[in-house]
């Protein structure tokens, strides 16, 4: 038995659907001030007047014709799932454009309510909307709301309940599309009646309109239902399309769209929308755009913004990073003092605290970076970045829509390749999509960020922001060059057009910024406390067992006895000799462990890039999750240490280690930036590409590419500096 | 007409020389019947004369309100590359191939 009412939130991109969804369900779904944030539908629940409501947030669309994945997802849900009420979220400050979709809902005959969102913005622009009159003319209820503050949302839900209880079924609206199209629709009636199966799902006239609009999905369904009738229908559609092309130079869909806009204009005039005052033709947003997206100034401003982001992140987070490092150091000292020597103590210090603490120590940096990105995203600037990058992307054989997956994956450092890979769904061309899928993991995701920060902070501490900026730039260059290479070889093909609506600039709300920052930081912390903790303990075990043989232990004991005989008791020389024996034993124990053996086996190749066996263990662990690199390095270098009383940070350990130098650090950074994506990303690539072949290609291609780059950097660096 | 043209191309104190030259170039193009949107070198209002290109592109443009006879505001000029236009109250970015398929004339 169906108990909860299903409400579908539909509307144009940036109309405020997700904001309303969050307000209704109390969810903390990510709201981005750029199109394409919601590619899949999201669900939540809420209660209104003791009635359970199932709320579904659909992707933003401009039409109900299958031109994009978002449009298909939204249309399929509305038609197949038949929600009790469709709430069309309409941007009141941009009414004409938004009502175009409402018009198509009316043609489809769904139970519709219009939520007139952002009425405050419309008022500021001098627009007064008579909602009652608008509702009467459209034949649906129109409720003014402000989704950000929740104003009018209760009234909206009241209207939803009233509509769901109504006994009458909404009928599809009958719109005129001009004599040519209308006559064709009349001629098609007989053949449309033969499509019984489709008529049970879609209104008959709507089916005809979609066939005239050359909607791929409907054409295929019609051909599958009745091939003969479909053949006649499509022939009639072609006939009218040719006629319109020859006489007016347009396709039927343009004619239909023109009449829809005409209908909207007729609805809006005479008292529905009035201007209280004549505002500027161009709004502030447009004026800002003229400067921010200027051909010369735009890229300059973009570079400055990114540099400012890094400077902000590294300048203000350092104090908190130091606090956390001291905190974990204190925990280590406490454990060391409380527990007797043995495997439990070793696991807690080297596996848990050094492993997890290494990752958790970067939480402040991650938090500051995410806050900065949230400001850029919520203000609408990221969409402008996409606009400016489009030309460059086009040159490298990618689509303008590829910009967002790149940014989501860490184009401004701190993203994640998994949602980035998933965001490629907005690309229609399979080859452009594959090229994007395979190159987004090159971006500096939030997991690589701590590793880069650690190495930059240790070896290039004087220019942290500059090096981080260069790392981002390098990631972009390499990803784009790899994309060009792929598009010139295995993924050769034509480019497809890129059209995107840019959201207006908005002041980010403090609440929104904190939600975004917290949700991403929490994800990072959760991962550190669960998956990474587990892997850290596993890697600790791999680096601890099997222990040294009795023969080896006896050898070190003998060396100690020999030292004690040689030097006088309590002398400095004796302490030094014993310290050296202890260090040798710890190193041999690590090398003898399972992890050590794997690392040593790979060292014969990795040595050309200056990467030692201990780093190899970390790099293998990094395949599970890139954050593990830090924790494994922490464990590897703390296990190699002798005196656990002298607890120092990983950064200090690496700086003191004779095998590390700036050139090696640079080579390791390059390898980490570009080698195989983490396991979750690989699974995602396989899922999105529809084949494990591409996932395997991604791992092999990236690792080979990263190795060549790292070897180049190390050999060249060694030649010049060492 | 000739007098106006001479007046427009004059060097005023407030205008830079380059700005003057650009206006002149734009003026010449505007005098022609229609130009591709991507080639429009001046900000301002334009009327869409036709939308060329493949059927899908035309349909997408139509959905966004870029239809023959409609007016648009060029916010970020193309100069042969991508451009940004304001149409029906919304700001749309168009890549170079798409912008070149939209023929416009100044209003």
């Amino acid at each position: 038995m169906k108990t909860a009412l299903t409400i579908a939130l539909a509307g144009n991109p940036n109309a405020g659907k997700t904001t309303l969804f969050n307000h209704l369900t109390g969810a903390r779904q990510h709201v981005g001030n750029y199109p394409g944030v919601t590619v899949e539908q999201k669900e939540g629940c809420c209660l209104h007047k003791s009635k359970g409501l199932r709320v579904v947030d659909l992707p933003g669309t401009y039409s109900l014709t299958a031109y994009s994945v978002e449009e298909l997802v939204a249309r399929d849900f509305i038609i197949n799932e038949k929600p009790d009420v469709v709430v069309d979220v309409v941007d009141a400050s941009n009414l004409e454009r938004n009502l175009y979709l409402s018009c198509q809902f009316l043609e489809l005959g769904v139970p519709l309510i219009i939520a007139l969102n952002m009425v405050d913005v419309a008022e500021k622009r001098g627009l007064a909307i008579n909602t009652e009159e608008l509702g009467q003319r459209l034949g649906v209820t129109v409720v003014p709301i402000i989704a950000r503050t929740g104003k009018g949302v209760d009234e909206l839900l009241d209207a939803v309940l009233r509509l769901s209880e109504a006994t009458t079924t909404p009928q599809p609206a009958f719109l005129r599309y001009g004599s040519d199209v209308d006559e064709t629709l009349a001629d098609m009636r007989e053949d449309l009646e033969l499509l019984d199966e489709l008529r049970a799902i879609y209104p008959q006239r709507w089916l005809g309109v979609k066939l005239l609009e050359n909607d791929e999905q409907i054409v295929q369904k019609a051909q599958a239902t009745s091939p003969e009738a479909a053949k006649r229908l499509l022939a009639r559609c072609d006939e009218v399309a040719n006629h319109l092309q020859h006489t007016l130079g347009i396709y039927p869909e343009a004619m239909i769209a023109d009449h829809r806009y005409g209908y909207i204009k007729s609805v809006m005039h005479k008292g529905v929308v009035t201007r209280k005052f004549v505002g500027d033709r161009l709004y502030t947003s447009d004026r800002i755009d003229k400067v921010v997206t200027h051909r010369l100034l735009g890229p300059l401003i973009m570079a400055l913004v990114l540099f400012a982001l890094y400077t902000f992140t590294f300048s203000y987070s350092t104090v908190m990073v130091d606090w956390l490092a001291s905190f974990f150091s204190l925990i280590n000292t406490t454990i060391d003092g409380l527990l007797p020597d043995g495997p439990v103590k070793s696991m807690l210090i080297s596996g848990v605290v050094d492993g997890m603490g290494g990752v958790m120590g970067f939480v402040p940096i991650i938090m500051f970076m995410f806050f900065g990105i949230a400001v850029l995203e919520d203000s609408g600037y990221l969409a402008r970045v996409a606009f400016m990058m489009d030309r460059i992307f086009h040159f490298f054989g990618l689509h303008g829509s590829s910009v967002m997956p790149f940014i989501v994956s860490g184009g401004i450092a701190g993203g994640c390749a998994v949602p980035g890979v998933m965001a490629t769904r907005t690309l229609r061309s399979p080859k452009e999509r594959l090229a994007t899928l395979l190159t987004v993991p090159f971006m500096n995701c939030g997991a690589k960020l701590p590793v880069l920060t650690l190495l930059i902070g240790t070896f290039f501490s004087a220019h942290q922001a500059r090096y981080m900026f260069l790392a981002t730039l390098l990631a972009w260059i390499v990803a784009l060059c790899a994309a060009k290479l792929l598009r010139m070889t295995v993924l050769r093909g034509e480019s497809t057009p890129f059209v995107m609506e840019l959201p207006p600039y908005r002041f980010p709300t403090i609440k929104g910024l904190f939600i975004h920052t917290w949700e991403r930081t929490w994800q990072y912390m959760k991962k550190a406390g669960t998956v990474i903790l587990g892997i850290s303990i596993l890697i600790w075990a791999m680096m601890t067992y099997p222990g040294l043989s009795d023969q080896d232990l006896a050898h070190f004991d003998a060396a100690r006895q020999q030292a004690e005989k040689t030097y006088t008791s309590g002398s400095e020389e004796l302490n030094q000799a014993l310290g050296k024996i202890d260090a040798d034993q710890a190193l041999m124990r690590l090398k003898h462990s399972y992890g050590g053996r794997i690392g040593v086996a790979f060292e014969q190749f990795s040595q050309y890039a200056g990467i030692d066996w201990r780093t190899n263990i970390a790099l293998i662990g990094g395949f599970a999750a890139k954050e593990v690199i830090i924790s494994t390095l922490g464990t590897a270098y703390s296990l190699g240490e002798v005196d656990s009383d002298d607890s120092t940070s990983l950064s200090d350990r690496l700086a003191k280690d004779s095998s590390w130098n700036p050139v090696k650090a640079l080579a390791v950074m390059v390898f980490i930036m570009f080698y195989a994506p983490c396991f979750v990303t690989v699974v995602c690539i396989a899922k999105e590409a529809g084949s494990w072949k591409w996932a395997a290609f991604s791992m092999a291609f990236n690792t080979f590419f990263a190795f060549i780059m790292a070897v180049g950097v190390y050999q060249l660096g060694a030649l010049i500096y060492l | 007409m000739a007098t106006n043209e001479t007046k427009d191309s004059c060097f005023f104190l407030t205008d830079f020389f380059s700005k003057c030259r650009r206006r002149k170039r734009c003026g010449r193009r505007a005098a022609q019947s229609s130009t591709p949107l991507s080639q429009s070198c001046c900000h301002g209002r334009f009327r869409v004369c036709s939308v060329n290109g493949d059927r899908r592109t035309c349909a997408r443009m139509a959905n966004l309100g870029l239809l023959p006879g409609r007016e648009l505001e060029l916010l970020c000029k193309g100069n042969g590359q991508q451009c940004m236009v304001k149409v029906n109250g919304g700001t749309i970015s168009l890549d170079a191939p798409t912008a070149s398929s939209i023929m416009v004339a100044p209003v």
Side-chain angles (χ1 to χ4, degrees):
Chain A
M1 190 184 151
K2 194 178 173 184
T3 50
L5 284 178
T6 303
I7 309 173
L9 299 181
N12 280 191
N14 281 304
K17 296 174 296 299
T18 310
T19 309
L20 179 62
F21 177 81
N22 284 351
H23 186 86
L24 288 174
T25 60
R28 291 286 173 266
Q29 286 291 353
H30 179 72
V31 186
N33 194 12
Y34 59 78
V37 168
T38 317
V39 181
E40 287 177 317
Q41 66 222 33
K42 292 166 188 163
E43 284 190 30
C45 295
C46 72
L47 259 179
H48 183 69
K49 293 188 175 165
S50 313
K51 187 83 185 171
L53 303 171
R54 175 185 165 230
V55 189
V56 181
D57 181 22
L58 296 174
T61 59
Y62 295 108
S63 78
L64 288 181
T65 310
Y67 294 131
S68 66
V69 181
E70 293 97 322
E71 282 162 350
L72 263 177
V73 169
R75 189 174 82 180
D76 284 349
F77 181 84
I78 288 166
I79 289 167
N80 300 334
E81 303 281 321
K82 296 196 188 314
D84 296 291
V85 178
V86 175
V87 173
D88 179 19
V89 184
V90 165
D91 179 357
S93 61
N94 194 358
L95 200 57
E96 192 178 345
R97 157 77 50 76
N98 280 250
L99 283 180
Y100 185 77
L101 182 69
S102 318
C103 184
Q104 293 179 68
F105 283 128
L106 293 173
E107 288 173 77
L108 194 58
V110 292
L112 183 72
I113 287 180
I114 292 179
L116 200 62
N117 192 20
M118 294 186 248
V119 279
D120 51 336
V121 180
E123 271 175 29
K124 276 181 197 161
R125 290 182 179 181
L127 295 169
I129 301 165
N130 185 342
T131 48
E132 277 186 27
E133 185 61 32
L134 178 66
Q136 271 184 6
R137 289 188 190 181
L138 291 171
V140 294
T141 309
V142 179
V143 185
I145 63 161
I146 304 170
R148 264 147 77 108
T149 59
K151 194 179 169 190
V153 173
D154 280 341
E155 288 79 356
L156 176 71
L157 293 181
D158 287 341
V160 166
L161 292 186
R162 276 199 304 278
L163 184 65
S164 67
E165 285 158 8
T167 48
T168 51
T169 319
Q171 291 302 309
F174 189 91
L175 259 68
R176 297 268 177 210
Y177 306 112
S179 56
D180 286 325
V181 174
D182 284 343
E183 278 168 23
T184 310
L185 283 170
D187 290 348
M188 289 163 76
R189 199 179 299 150
E190 272 182 33
D191 283 321
L192 283 171
E193 277 168 9
L194 296 173
L195 306 174
D196 289 329
E197 280 177 40
L198 289 183
R199 279 173 56 234
I201 312 166
Y202 309 101
Q204 184 174 307
R205 189 175 158 84
W206 187 88
L207 270 178
V209 171
K210 290 298 140 190
L211 288 173
L212 277 165
E213 286 182 330
N214 198 28
D215 185 301
E216 282 172 15
Q217 194 193 41
I218 300 296
V219 168
Q220 280 173 9
K221 281 187 177 180
Q223 283 168 336
T225 310
S226 172
E228 280 303 310
K231 199 177 170 184
R232 285 194 296 276
L233 285 166
L234 292 176
R236 188 73 187 93
C237 292
D238 283 345
E239 200 181 309
V240 75
N242 288 334
H243 171 69
L244 288 173
Q245 266 288 299
H246 284 115
T247 52
L248 297 169
I250 56 170
Y251 289 104
E253 42 271 45
M255 175 67 91
I256 293 166
D258 200 17
H259 279 78
R260 280 183 189 139
Y261 274 113
Y263 168 73
I264 294 162
K265 271 212 180 335
S266 72
V267 166
M268 281 172 65
H269 87 310
K270 283 186 184 169
V272 168
V273 181
T274 44
R275 277 196 173 272
K276 285 182 192 166
F277 55 86
V278 181
D280 289 336
R281 189 161 51 93
L282 293 182
Y283 301 120
T284 317
S285 202
D286 306 324
R287 292 178 202 285
I288 298 170
D289 271 337
K290 280 191 175 177
V291 180
V292 165
T293 59
H294 188 269
R295 195 159 299 278
L296 296 173
L297 279 176
L300 204 68
I301 294 171
M302 187 168 71
L304 282 174
V305 166
L306 294 190
F307 191 69
L309 175 74
Y310 294 132
T311 311
F312 162 78
T313 304
F314 292 106
S315 306
Y316 294 99
S317 62
T318 322
V319 180
M320 289 167 81
V321 171
D322 290 343
W323 286 349
L324 272 175
S326 312
F327 173 71
F328 283 112
S329 183
L330 186 75
I331 295 179
N332 263 355
T333 318
T334 313
I335 293 171
D336 191 47
L338 287 174
L339 296 176
D341 285 345
V344 176
K345 183 176 167 179
S346 170
M347 186 194 75
L348 283 176
I349 291 178
S350 299
V352 179
V353 183
D354 281 346
M356 203 178 74
V359 179
M360 293 292 266
F362 288 92
V363 165
I365 292 177
I366 296 289
M367 213 162 68
F368 274 75
M369 181 69 84
F370 285 157
F371 184 81
I373 292 171
V375 172
L376 297 183
E377 196 179 311
D378 289 8
S379 63
Y381 183 69
L382 270 194
R384 271 71 188 177
V385 172
F387 168 73
M388 285 184 282
M389 297 298 286
D390 171 50
R391 187 160 51 122
I392 301 166
F393 268 58
H394 200 80
F395 175 79
F396 287 98
L398 292 172
H399 190 260
S401 299
S402 310
V403 176
M404 280 311 162
F406 270 77
I407 290 174
V408 172
S409 300
I412 311 185
C416 178
V418 174
V421 165
M422 276 150 72
T424 57
R425 286 177 195 178
T426 50
L427 282 109
R428 282 187 76 89
S429 155
K431 285 182 177 171
E432 284 172 341
R433 185 164 178 237
L434 263 176
T436 314
L437 260 179
L438 296 171
T439 48
V440 288
F442 284 133
M443 294 287 109
N444 292 330
C445 65
K448 289 179 195 169
L449 198 65
V451 193
L452 299 181
T453 311
L454 170 86
L455 295 174
I456 290 171
T458 309
F459 297 100
F460 313 99
S461 55
H463 310 286
Q464 282 196 67
R466 205 173 301 171
Y467 271 87
M468 203 61 218
F469 181 70
L470 284 174
T472 306
L473 213 63
L474 183 68
W476 277 97
I477 292 168
V478 166
L480 290 174
C481 289
K484 182 79 177 171
L485 183 73
L486 289 169
R487 293 284 281 142
M488 282 166 64
T489 52
V490 282
L491 298 170
R492 203 180 299 160
E494 282 294 307
S495 295
T496 50
F498 167 61
V499 177
M500 179 176 81
E501 181 162 10
L502 297 168
Y505 287 102
R506 287 177 186 140
F507 270 112
T509 58
I510 295 293
K511 188 184 166 192
L513 291 178
F514 280 123
I515 286 175
H516 289 179
T517 310
W518 174 244
E519 73 183 9
R520 287 169 175 174
T521 310
W522 175 239
Q523 266 177 8
Y524 179 84
M525 285 164 67
K526 212 162 65 177
K527 208 171 164 189
T530 53
V531 180
I532 294 162
L533 176 65
I535 297 170
S536 289
I537 294 171
L538 181 77
I539 289 177
W540 165 83
M542 279 176 69
M543 289 191 281
T544 307
Y545 299 103
L548 289 174
S549 63
D550 291 342
Q551 199 183 349
D552 289 329
L553 286 172
H555 165 77
F556 283 109
D557 284 342
R560 275 189 200 95
Q561 282 168 9
Q562 182 65 41
E564 278 163 2
K565 278 180 193 167
T566 314
Y567 303 106
T568 44
S569 174
S571 68
E572 186 63 27
E573 289 90 350
L574 178 63
N575 287 341
Q576 274 181 4
L578 286 176
K580 192 179 176 307
I581 294 164
D582 286 346
D584 288 345
Q585 186 180 348
L587 201 66
M588 193 172 171
R589 195 178 60 212
L590 184 60
K591 220 169 185 173
H592 185 72
S593 67
Y594 294 123
R597 287 176 202 180
I598 298 170
V600 170
F602 278 103
E603 199 179 34
Q604 54 180 314
F605 307 107
S606 67
Q607 60 177 325
Y608 297 107
I611 302 170
D612 67 332
W613 59 275
R614 277 196 280 198
T615 315
N616 278 344
I617 308 170
L619 294 174
I620 295 162
F623 177 64
K626 291 283 187 280
E627 293 94 332
V628 171
I629 296 173
I630 288 272
S631 57
T632 311
L633 278 175
T635 311
Y637 281 87
S638 79
L639 280 173
E641 275 199 346
V642 188
D643 194 358
S644 54
D645 289 343
D646 183 24
S647 292
T648 50
S649 69
L650 176 60
S651 176
D652 291 337
R653 284 176 206 153
L654 294 182
K656 282 177 195 164
D657 197 292
S658 58
S659 69
W660 280 84
N661 55 57
V663 174
K664 178 183 170 177
L666 216 55
V668 171
M669 271 164 62
V670 165
F671 189 79
I672 289 169
M673 276 167 72
F674 304 121
Y675 86 115
C678 68
F679 181 68
V680 187
T681 309
V682 170
V683 172
C684 249
I685 290 175
K687 200 178 146 201
E688 294 298 322
S691 154
W692 275 94
K693 186 184 81 179
W694 288 111
F697 176 82
S698 167
M699 284 193 290
F701 175 74
N702 290 19
T703 308
F704 178 73
F705 185 75
F707 182 67
I708 297 292
M709 290 259 302
V711 170
V713 167
Y714 184 73
Q715 296 298 335
L716 202 71
L719 211 67
I720 300 168
Y721 296 105
L722 297 182
Chain B
M1 185 68 190
T3 327
N4 283 344
E5 264 185 33
T6 321
K7 208 174 177 181
D8 275 355
S9 58
C10 277
F11 182 81
F12 295 105
L13 277 175
T14 48
D15 279 348
F16 288 104
F17 181 64
S18 60
K19 213 171 176 181
C20 242
R21 275 179 57 196
R22 204 165 58 229
R23 279 185 185 173
K24 238 171 107 179
R25 203 169 62 224
C26 255
R28 274 196 222 111
R29 279 191 193 163
Q32 293 164 7
S33 55
S34 63
T35 47
L37 185 60
S38 59
Q39 297 301 324
S40 304
C41 52
C42 295
H43 294 126
R45 292 187 76 76
F46 291 85
R47 189 181 297 280
V48 179
C49 298
S50 62
V51 181
N52 305 319
D54 67 282
R55 195 167 172 177
R56 183 181 285 274
T57 309
C58 291
R60 283 208 70 194
M61 294 300 106
N63 279 333
L64 291 166
L66 279 162
L67 289 155
R70 297 256 162 181
E71 282 185 17
L72 57 87
E73 176 101 31
L74 185 61
L75 295 176
C76 183
K77 55 199 179 198
N79 287 334
Q81 295 302 329
Q82 83 272 37
C83 65
M84 195 188 281
V85 295
K86 198 170 174 72
V87 62
N88 279 347
T91 308
I92 298 165
S93 76
L94 304 163
D95 65 356
T98 310
S100 61
S101 70
I102 300 169
M103 304 301 284
V104 292
V107 176

